[in-house]
Amino acid sequence: MTIDAIMRTAPVIPVLVIDEIAHAAPIAEALVAGGLCVLEVTLRTPVALDVIAAMSKVAGAIVGAGTILNTADLDAAMNAGAQFIVSPGLTEPLGRAAIASGIPFLPGIANAGDLMRGFDMGLDRFKFFPAAAAGGLPALKALAAPFGKARFCPTGGISEATALEWLAEESVLCVGGSWVVQKGAPDLALIRQRAATAAALSG
């Protein structure tokens, strides 16, 4: 799949911080059952790579790795079975390595310079991060105007209550959200319910 196809699969990509490997498969199953198939597992916990491997075995799940900071993270994520990668920012070494690897890549951007760097690499799909702190929807609209081919997945500070407003923006294909799955022991019924609500959102 291309990163564009992945971004268009569902309106919300759950951003997951999971501390226990045992929680991985049940959470992924609940999310997929609720209609969210694209899952971003952040490399913020010691077990994140094992979580990616476990979730990748769940039928219907498209599992990616987030918080990719460098080429070592890229290699580790791919070895764990990640089907796409997401980074909080865009550096030349990581960008070139990700492109060369062929893995779908969603780099983070926060300003025009970031976008220009991405366009120079041939990229036009980006994560707008941290979305709320970087100026919110007005900032994204201002950035999108001179970069007509760019499409975005805003992430950071977006909630169930504000997601629809972001999705209504033409340049936004999906949003990243941590509200779907809370940290700690999972309430699987609640996760499935939140996933279903998120999957039904439409701009």
Side-chain angles (χ1 to χ4, degrees), residues 7-13 35-36 167 173-176 197-203:
M7 293 170 73
R8 295 177 186 274
T9 299
V12 177
I13 297 177
L36 297 183
L167 290 166
L173 298 183
C174 60
V175 299
T197 301
L201 294 173
S202 174

Side-chain angles (χ1 to χ4, degrees), residues 25-39:
I27 288 174
E29 290 165 356
L31 289 167
V32 171
L36 297 183
C37 298
V38 179
L39 317 178

Side-chain angles (χ1 to χ4, degrees), residues 87-185:
S87 62
L90 177 59
T91 66
E92 187 89 13
L94 176 58
R96 295 299 180 194
I99 292 167
S101 76
I103 193 168
F105 176 40
L106 187 63
I109 62 91
N111 55 52
D114 292 342
L115 278 166
M116 291 170 69
R117 188 181 312 114
F119 268 64
D120 283 346
M121 294 183 197
L123 303 169
D124 58 13
R125 297 294 182 268
F126 303 97
K127 164 180 163 176
F128 178 51
F129 177 81
L137 192 53
L140 179 61
K141 288 180 178 180
L143 281 173
F147 299 96
K149 293 182 180 179
R151 293 295 181 268
F152 301 94
C153 175
T155 305
I158 296 173
S159 67
E160 184 176 350
T162 62
L164 196 57
E165 183 181 9
W166 286 92
L167 290 166
E169 168 59 26
E170 182 181 0
S171 65
V172 172
L173 298 183
C174 60
V175 299
S178 58
W179 78 85
V180 184
V181 178
Q182 300 295 320
K183 292 182 182 179

Side-chain angles (χ1 to χ4, degrees), residues 3 6 13-18 38-53 55-56 62-78 80-89 94 103-108 127 129 153 155 176-177:
I3 194 62
I6 289 170
I13 297 177
V15 178
L16 307 172
V17 182
I18 299 178
V38 179
L39 317 178
E40 177 189 338
V41 178
T42 62
L43 300 191
R44 299 183 191 176
T45 70
V47 299
L49 294 172
D50 292 322
V51 168
I52 290 170
M55 286 189 163
S56 295
I62 302 168
V63 184
T67 322
I68 300 295
L69 305 180
N70 49 48
T71 56
D73 288 345
L74 169 65
D75 292 341
M78 292 179 65
Q83 294 170 266
F84 66 96
I85 63 162
V86 184
S87 62
L94 176 58
I103 193 168
F105 176 40
L106 187 63
K127 164 180 163 176
F129 177 81
C153 175
T155 305

